[in-house]
Short mmCIF file of all heavy atoms in Angstrom, two decimals:
data_model
loop_
_atom_site.label_atom_id
_atom_site.label_comp_id
_atom_site.label_asym_id
_atom_site.label_seq_id
_atom_site.Cartn_x
_atom_site.Cartn_y
_atom_site.Cartn_z
N HIS A 1087 3.15 15.55 1.91
CA HIS A 1087 3.09 16.04 0.53
C HIS A 1087 3.45 17.50 0.43
O HIS A 1087 3.75 18.00 -0.65
CB HIS A 1087 1.70 15.81 -0.03
CG HIS A 1087 0.65 16.49 0.79
ND1 HIS A 1087 0.12 15.92 1.91
CD2 HIS A 1087 0.08 17.70 0.68
CE1 HIS A 1087 -0.75 16.75 2.46
NE2 HIS A 1087 -0.80 17.84 1.72
N VAL A 1142 1.83 19.40 -12.94
CA VAL A 1142 0.70 19.71 -12.05
C VAL A 1142 1.22 20.18 -10.70
O VAL A 1142 0.70 21.14 -10.12
CB VAL A 1142 -0.24 18.48 -11.90
CG1 VAL A 1142 -1.22 18.71 -10.77
CG2 VAL A 1142 -1.00 18.25 -13.19
N VAL A 1143 2.30 19.55 -10.22
CA VAL A 1143 2.91 20.00 -8.95
C VAL A 1143 3.39 21.45 -9.11
O VAL A 1143 3.16 22.30 -8.24
CB VAL A 1143 4.09 19.09 -8.56
CG1 VAL A 1143 4.86 19.68 -7.39
CG2 VAL A 1143 3.58 17.71 -8.20
N PHE A 1145 2.30 23.78 -11.30
CA PHE A 1145 1.15 24.69 -11.39
C PHE A 1145 0.57 24.93 -9.99
O PHE A 1145 0.26 26.07 -9.61
CB PHE A 1145 0.04 24.11 -12.28
CG PHE A 1145 0.38 24.10 -13.74
CD1 PHE A 1145 -0.16 23.14 -14.59
CD2 PHE A 1145 1.24 25.05 -14.28
CE1 PHE A 1145 0.14 23.13 -15.93
CE2 PHE A 1145 1.54 25.05 -15.63
CZ PHE A 1145 1.00 24.08 -16.46
N ALA A 1146 0.42 23.85 -9.21
CA ALA A 1146 -0.18 23.98 -7.88
C ALA A 1146 0.66 24.90 -7.01
O ALA A 1146 0.16 25.85 -6.41
CB ALA A 1146 -0.33 22.61 -7.24
N LEU A 1149 0.56 28.56 -8.38
CA LEU A 1149 -0.72 29.23 -8.25
C LEU A 1149 -1.04 29.54 -6.79
O LEU A 1149 -1.70 30.53 -6.50
CB LEU A 1149 -1.83 28.38 -8.87
CG LEU A 1149 -1.78 28.30 -10.39
CD1 LEU A 1149 -2.78 27.30 -10.91
CD2 LEU A 1149 -2.05 29.66 -11.00
N GLY A 1202 -5.76 21.38 -20.64
CA GLY A 1202 -6.96 21.30 -19.82
C GLY A 1202 -6.62 21.40 -18.34
O GLY A 1202 -7.27 22.12 -17.59
N ALA A 1203 -5.56 20.69 -17.93
CA ALA A 1203 -5.18 20.70 -16.52
C ALA A 1203 -4.82 22.11 -16.09
O ALA A 1203 -5.21 22.57 -15.01
CB ALA A 1203 -3.99 19.77 -16.30
N PHE A 1204 -4.12 22.79 -16.97
CA PHE A 1204 -3.67 24.15 -16.70
C PHE A 1204 -4.87 25.07 -16.47
O PHE A 1204 -4.94 25.80 -15.48
CB PHE A 1204 -2.83 24.57 -17.90
CG PHE A 1204 -2.46 26.00 -17.96
CD1 PHE A 1204 -1.48 26.49 -17.13
CD2 PHE A 1204 -3.06 26.83 -18.87
CE1 PHE A 1204 -1.12 27.82 -17.20
CE2 PHE A 1204 -2.70 28.15 -18.95
CZ PHE A 1204 -1.74 28.65 -18.11
N ILE A 1205 -5.84 25.02 -17.37
CA ILE A 1205 -7.01 25.88 -17.24
C ILE A 1205 -7.82 25.52 -16.00
O ILE A 1205 -8.24 26.38 -15.23
CB ILE A 1205 -7.91 25.75 -18.50
CG1 ILE A 1205 -7.16 26.24 -19.73
CG2 ILE A 1205 -9.20 26.54 -18.32
CD1 ILE A 1205 -6.79 27.68 -19.69
N ALA A 1206 -7.99 24.21 -15.77
CA ALA A 1206 -8.80 23.79 -14.63
C ALA A 1206 -8.16 24.27 -13.33
O ALA A 1206 -8.85 24.74 -12.42
CB ALA A 1206 -8.94 22.27 -14.61
N MET A 1207 -6.83 24.17 -13.25
CA MET A 1207 -6.19 24.57 -11.99
C MET A 1207 -6.23 26.07 -11.81
O MET A 1207 -6.38 26.56 -10.69
CB MET A 1207 -4.76 24.05 -11.96
CG MET A 1207 -4.77 22.54 -11.79
SD MET A 1207 -3.15 21.85 -11.71
CE MET A 1207 -2.62 22.40 -10.11
N LEU A 1208 -6.12 26.81 -12.90
CA LEU A 1208 -6.27 28.26 -12.79
C LEU A 1208 -7.66 28.59 -12.25
O LEU A 1208 -7.83 29.46 -11.41
CB LEU A 1208 -6.13 28.91 -14.17
CG LEU A 1208 -4.78 29.47 -14.54
CD1 LEU A 1208 -4.84 30.03 -15.94
CD2 LEU A 1208 -4.40 30.58 -13.58
N TYR A 1209 -8.65 27.86 -12.75
CA TYR A 1209 -10.02 28.11 -12.32
C TYR A 1209 -10.18 27.77 -10.85
O TYR A 1209 -10.79 28.52 -10.09
CB TYR A 1209 -10.98 27.30 -13.19
CG TYR A 1209 -12.42 27.50 -12.79
CD1 TYR A 1209 -12.99 28.76 -12.89
CD2 TYR A 1209 -13.19 26.45 -12.31
CE1 TYR A 1209 -14.31 28.96 -12.52
CE2 TYR A 1209 -14.50 26.65 -11.94
CZ TYR A 1209 -15.05 27.91 -12.04
OH TYR A 1209 -16.34 28.11 -11.66
N ILE A 1210 -9.61 26.63 -10.42
CA ILE A 1210 -9.73 26.26 -9.01
C ILE A 1210 -9.05 27.31 -8.14
O ILE A 1210 -9.55 27.69 -7.09
CB ILE A 1210 -9.08 24.88 -8.75
CG1 ILE A 1210 -9.79 23.80 -9.56
CG2 ILE A 1210 -9.14 24.52 -7.28
CD1 ILE A 1210 -9.13 22.44 -9.44
N ALA A 1211 -7.91 27.81 -8.60
CA ALA A 1211 -7.14 28.72 -7.78
C ALA A 1211 -7.80 30.09 -7.66
O ALA A 1211 -7.80 30.69 -6.60
CB ALA A 1211 -5.72 28.87 -8.32
N ILE A 1321 -13.36 7.23 -8.63
CA ILE A 1321 -11.97 7.55 -8.30
C ILE A 1321 -11.79 9.07 -8.29
O ILE A 1321 -11.24 9.66 -7.36
CB ILE A 1321 -10.99 6.93 -9.31
CG1 ILE A 1321 -11.11 5.41 -9.31
CG2 ILE A 1321 -9.55 7.33 -8.98
CD1 ILE A 1321 -10.25 4.74 -10.34
N VAL A 1322 -12.33 9.71 -9.34
CA VAL A 1322 -12.18 11.16 -9.45
C VAL A 1322 -12.93 11.84 -8.31
O VAL A 1322 -12.44 12.80 -7.70
CB VAL A 1322 -12.70 11.63 -10.81
CG1 VAL A 1322 -12.73 13.14 -10.87
CG2 VAL A 1322 -11.84 11.08 -11.92
N GLN A 1323 -14.11 11.30 -7.99
CA GLN A 1323 -14.88 11.89 -6.89
C GLN A 1323 -14.08 11.84 -5.59
O GLN A 1323 -14.06 12.80 -4.83
CB GLN A 1323 -16.21 11.15 -6.74
CG GLN A 1323 -17.23 11.87 -5.87
CD GLN A 1323 -17.16 11.46 -4.41
OE1 GLN A 1323 -16.55 10.48 -4.07
NE2 GLN A 1323 -17.80 12.25 -3.56
N ARG A 1324 -13.43 10.71 -5.35
CA ARG A 1324 -12.63 10.60 -4.12
C ARG A 1324 -11.50 11.63 -4.13
O ARG A 1324 -11.17 12.21 -3.10
CB ARG A 1324 -12.04 9.19 -3.94
CG ARG A 1324 -13.02 8.07 -3.76
CD ARG A 1324 -14.25 8.42 -3.03
NE ARG A 1324 -14.05 8.64 -1.61
CZ ARG A 1324 -14.86 9.34 -0.84
NH1 ARG A 1324 -15.92 9.92 -1.36
NH2 ARG A 1324 -14.63 9.49 0.42
N GLY A 1325 -10.91 11.83 -5.31
CA GLY A 1325 -9.83 12.81 -5.42
C GLY A 1325 -10.33 14.22 -5.14
O GLY A 1325 -9.72 14.97 -4.37
N LEU A 1326 -11.46 14.57 -5.74
CA LEU A 1326 -11.99 15.91 -5.55
C LEU A 1326 -12.45 16.10 -4.11
O LEU A 1326 -12.32 17.17 -3.52
CB LEU A 1326 -13.15 16.16 -6.52
CG LEU A 1326 -12.75 16.27 -7.98
CD1 LEU A 1326 -13.96 16.43 -8.86
CD2 LEU A 1326 -11.80 17.44 -8.18
N ARG A 1327 -12.96 15.02 -3.54
CA ARG A 1327 -13.38 15.04 -2.15
C ARG A 1327 -12.16 15.35 -1.25
O ARG A 1327 -12.26 16.10 -0.29
CB ARG A 1327 -13.98 13.69 -1.81
CG ARG A 1327 -14.36 13.44 -0.42
CD ARG A 1327 -15.64 14.11 -0.06
NE ARG A 1327 -15.56 14.51 1.33
CZ ARG A 1327 -16.42 15.29 1.94
NH1 ARG A 1327 -17.42 15.78 1.26
NH2 ARG A 1327 -16.27 15.59 3.19
N THR A 1328 -11.03 14.74 -1.63
CA THR A 1328 -9.79 15.00 -0.90
C THR A 1328 -9.43 16.48 -1.00
O THR A 1328 -9.07 17.12 -0.02
CB THR A 1328 -8.65 14.15 -1.47
OG1 THR A 1328 -9.01 12.79 -1.34
CG2 THR A 1328 -7.35 14.41 -0.76
N ALA A 1329 -9.56 17.01 -2.22
CA ALA A 1329 -9.24 18.43 -2.41
C ALA A 1329 -10.16 19.28 -1.54
O ALA A 1329 -9.74 20.27 -0.95
CB ALA A 1329 -9.42 18.81 -3.88
N PHE A 1330 -11.39 18.87 -1.43
CA PHE A 1330 -12.38 19.58 -0.65
C PHE A 1330 -12.02 19.59 0.82
O PHE A 1330 -12.15 20.59 1.50
CB PHE A 1330 -13.71 18.83 -0.84
CG PHE A 1330 -14.88 19.72 -0.97
CD1 PHE A 1330 -14.95 20.62 -2.02
CD2 PHE A 1330 -15.90 19.66 -0.06
CE1 PHE A 1330 -16.05 21.46 -2.13
CE2 PHE A 1330 -17.00 20.48 -0.17
CZ PHE A 1330 -17.07 21.39 -1.21
N ALA A 1331 -11.56 18.42 1.30
CA ALA A 1331 -11.32 18.27 2.73
C ALA A 1331 -9.94 18.75 3.12
O ALA A 1331 -9.67 18.92 4.31
CB ALA A 1331 -11.51 16.81 3.13
N ALA A 1332 -9.06 18.94 2.14
CA ALA A 1332 -7.67 19.28 2.47
C ALA A 1332 -7.63 20.60 3.22
O ALA A 1332 -8.49 21.46 3.04
CB ALA A 1332 -6.84 19.37 1.20
N ASP A 1334 -4.79 22.75 3.53
CA ASP A 1334 -3.98 23.85 3.03
C ASP A 1334 -4.20 24.02 1.53
O ASP A 1334 -4.56 23.07 0.83
CB ASP A 1334 -2.49 23.61 3.32
CG ASP A 1334 -2.00 22.31 2.75
OD1 ASP A 1334 -2.69 21.29 2.96
OD2 ASP A 1334 -0.97 22.29 2.06
N PRO A 1335 -4.05 25.25 1.04
CA PRO A 1335 -4.37 25.53 -0.36
C PRO A 1335 -3.53 24.73 -1.35
O PRO A 1335 -4.02 24.37 -2.42
CB PRO A 1335 -4.09 27.03 -0.51
CG PRO A 1335 -3.35 27.43 0.71
CD PRO A 1335 -3.68 26.47 1.78
N PHE A 1336 -2.29 24.43 -0.99
CA PHE A 1336 -1.46 23.67 -1.93
C PHE A 1336 -2.06 22.28 -2.17
O PHE A 1336 -2.19 21.84 -3.31
CB PHE A 1336 -0.04 23.55 -1.40
CG PHE A 1336 0.87 22.71 -2.26
CD1 PHE A 1336 1.31 23.18 -3.49
CD2 PHE A 1336 1.27 21.45 -1.85
CE1 PHE A 1336 2.13 22.42 -4.29
CE2 PHE A 1336 2.09 20.67 -2.65
CZ PHE A 1336 2.53 21.16 -3.87
N SER A 1337 -2.47 21.60 -1.09
CA SER A 1337 -3.06 20.27 -1.27
C SER A 1337 -4.37 20.35 -2.03
O SER A 1337 -4.69 19.48 -2.82
CB SER A 1337 -3.34 19.57 0.05
OG SER A 1337 -2.51 20.00 1.03
N LYS A 1338 -5.13 21.41 -1.76
CA LYS A 1338 -6.39 21.55 -2.48
C LYS A 1338 -6.14 21.60 -3.98
O LYS A 1338 -6.76 20.90 -4.77
CB LYS A 1338 -7.10 22.83 -2.06
CG LYS A 1338 -7.93 22.68 -0.81
CD LYS A 1338 -8.69 23.96 -0.56
CE LYS A 1338 -9.29 23.99 0.83
NZ LYS A 1338 -10.24 22.92 1.07
N LEU A 1339 -5.17 22.44 -4.36
CA LEU A 1339 -4.88 22.60 -5.78
C LEU A 1339 -4.28 21.33 -6.38
O LEU A 1339 -4.64 20.91 -7.48
CB LEU A 1339 -3.90 23.74 -5.98
CG LEU A 1339 -4.56 25.07 -6.25
CD1 LEU A 1339 -3.55 26.17 -6.20
CD2 LEU A 1339 -5.22 25.02 -7.62
N LEU A 1340 -3.37 20.72 -5.62
CA LEU A 1340 -2.70 19.54 -6.15
C LEU A 1340 -3.71 18.39 -6.30
O LEU A 1340 -3.78 17.75 -7.36
CB LEU A 1340 -1.54 19.14 -5.23
CG LEU A 1340 -0.64 18.03 -5.74
CD1 LEU A 1340 -0.03 18.42 -7.08
CD2 LEU A 1340 0.49 17.75 -4.75
N ALA A 1341 -4.50 18.17 -5.26
CA ALA A 1341 -5.48 17.08 -5.33
C ALA A 1341 -6.50 17.37 -6.43
O ALA A 1341 -6.86 16.49 -7.22
CB ALA A 1341 -6.18 16.90 -3.99
N GLY A 1342 -6.95 18.63 -6.50
CA GLY A 1342 -7.90 18.99 -7.55
C GLY A 1342 -7.29 18.78 -8.92
O GLY A 1342 -7.92 18.21 -9.82
N GLY A 1343 -6.06 19.24 -9.10
CA GLY A 1343 -5.40 19.12 -10.40
C GLY A 1343 -5.17 17.67 -10.79
O GLY A 1343 -5.44 17.27 -11.93
N LEU A 1344 -4.71 16.86 -9.84
CA LEU A 1344 -4.42 15.46 -10.17
C LEU A 1344 -5.71 14.71 -10.51
O LEU A 1344 -5.76 13.95 -11.48
CB LEU A 1344 -3.69 14.77 -9.01
CG LEU A 1344 -2.25 15.21 -8.77
CD1 LEU A 1344 -1.67 14.53 -7.56
CD2 LEU A 1344 -1.38 14.94 -9.99
N SER A 1345 -6.78 14.95 -9.72
CA SER A 1345 -8.02 14.25 -10.06
C SER A 1345 -8.55 14.75 -11.39
O SER A 1345 -9.13 13.99 -12.16
CB SER A 1345 -9.10 14.39 -9.00
OG SER A 1345 -8.69 15.09 -7.92
N PHE A 1346 -8.36 16.04 -11.63
CA PHE A 1346 -8.85 16.55 -12.90
C PHE A 1346 -8.12 15.91 -14.08
O PHE A 1346 -8.77 15.51 -15.05
CB PHE A 1346 -8.73 18.07 -12.98
CG PHE A 1346 -9.22 18.61 -14.29
CD1 PHE A 1346 -10.57 18.82 -14.49
CD2 PHE A 1346 -8.35 18.84 -15.34
CE1 PHE A 1346 -11.04 19.27 -15.70
CE2 PHE A 1346 -8.81 19.28 -16.56
CZ PHE A 1346 -10.16 19.50 -16.74
N ILE A 1347 -6.79 15.77 -13.99
CA ILE A 1347 -6.14 15.19 -15.18
C ILE A 1347 -6.56 13.74 -15.38
O ILE A 1347 -6.65 13.28 -16.51
CB ILE A 1347 -4.59 15.30 -15.23
CG1 ILE A 1347 -3.93 14.73 -14.03
CG2 ILE A 1347 -4.12 16.67 -15.54
CD1 ILE A 1347 -2.41 14.68 -14.21
N LEU A 1348 -6.86 13.05 -14.28
CA LEU A 1348 -7.34 11.68 -14.45
C LEU A 1348 -8.67 11.68 -15.21
O LEU A 1348 -8.86 10.95 -16.19
CB LEU A 1348 -7.49 11.04 -13.06
CG LEU A 1348 -7.42 9.54 -13.00
CD1 LEU A 1348 -6.08 9.06 -13.52
CD2 LEU A 1348 -7.60 9.07 -11.57
N ALA A 1349 -9.59 12.54 -14.75
CA ALA A 1349 -10.91 12.61 -15.39
C ALA A 1349 -10.79 13.07 -16.84
O ALA A 1349 -11.39 12.50 -17.76
CB ALA A 1349 -11.80 13.58 -14.61
N TRP A 1350 -9.97 14.08 -17.04
CA TRP A 1350 -9.79 14.68 -18.36
C TRP A 1350 -9.19 13.66 -19.33
O TRP A 1350 -9.56 13.57 -20.49
CB TRP A 1350 -8.89 15.89 -18.18
CG TRP A 1350 -8.67 16.80 -19.34
CD1 TRP A 1350 -7.48 17.25 -19.77
CD2 TRP A 1350 -9.66 17.41 -20.17
NE1 TRP A 1350 -7.65 18.09 -20.83
CE2 TRP A 1350 -8.97 18.20 -21.11
CE3 TRP A 1350 -11.04 17.35 -20.25
CZ2 TRP A 1350 -9.62 18.94 -22.09
CZ3 TRP A 1350 -11.69 18.08 -21.22
CH2 TRP A 1350 -10.99 18.86 -22.12
N LEU A 1386 0.52 8.91 -9.33
CA LEU A 1386 -0.52 9.93 -9.14
C LEU A 1386 -1.47 9.49 -8.03
O LEU A 1386 -1.84 10.28 -7.15
CB LEU A 1386 -1.27 10.08 -10.48
CG LEU A 1386 -2.31 11.17 -10.67
CD1 LEU A 1386 -2.43 11.47 -12.15
CD2 LEU A 1386 -3.65 10.77 -10.14
N LEU A 1389 0.01 9.93 -4.66
CA LEU A 1389 -0.06 11.31 -4.19
C LEU A 1389 -1.45 11.62 -3.65
O LEU A 1389 -1.62 12.23 -2.58
CB LEU A 1389 0.28 12.29 -5.32
CG LEU A 1389 1.74 12.32 -5.74
CD1 LEU A 1389 1.93 13.29 -6.89
CD2 LEU A 1389 2.61 12.74 -4.59
N LEU A 1390 -2.48 11.17 -4.37
CA LEU A 1390 -3.85 11.40 -3.90
C LEU A 1390 -4.07 10.73 -2.55
O LEU A 1390 -4.68 11.30 -1.64
CB LEU A 1390 -4.87 10.87 -4.91
CG LEU A 1390 -5.18 11.75 -6.11
CD1 LEU A 1390 -6.25 11.09 -6.96
CD2 LEU A 1390 -5.67 13.11 -5.64
N MET A 1393 -2.44 12.63 0.20
CA MET A 1393 -3.17 13.84 0.59
C MET A 1393 -4.47 13.50 1.30
O MET A 1393 -4.87 14.19 2.23
CB MET A 1393 -3.44 14.70 -0.64
CG MET A 1393 -2.20 15.42 -1.08
SD MET A 1393 -2.50 16.51 -2.42
CE MET A 1393 -2.56 15.39 -3.77
N SER A 1394 -5.12 12.40 0.87
CA SER A 1394 -6.37 12.07 1.54
C SER A 1394 -6.08 11.60 2.96
O SER A 1394 -6.89 11.81 3.87
CB SER A 1394 -7.17 11.04 0.74
OG SER A 1394 -6.82 9.74 1.09
#
Side-chain angles (χ1 to χ4, degrees):
Chain A
H1087 58 276
V1142 168
V1143 170
F1145 288 151
L1149 290 172
F1204 170 74
I1205 296 297
M1207 289 181 72
L1208 263 179
Y1209 179 63
I1210 298 175
I1321 299 176
V1322 173
Q1323 194 269 346
R1324 296 326 288 158
L1326 291 177
R1327 175 77 213 170
T1328 300
F1330 219 62
D1334 57 312
F1336 176 73
S1337 333
K1338 275 185 193 299
L1339 267 170
L1340 188 58
L1344 289 177
S1345 357
F1346 180 82
I1347 55 172
L1348 204 59
W1350 187 229
L1386 187 156
L1389 288 179
L1390 279 183
M1393 284 184 282
S1394 89

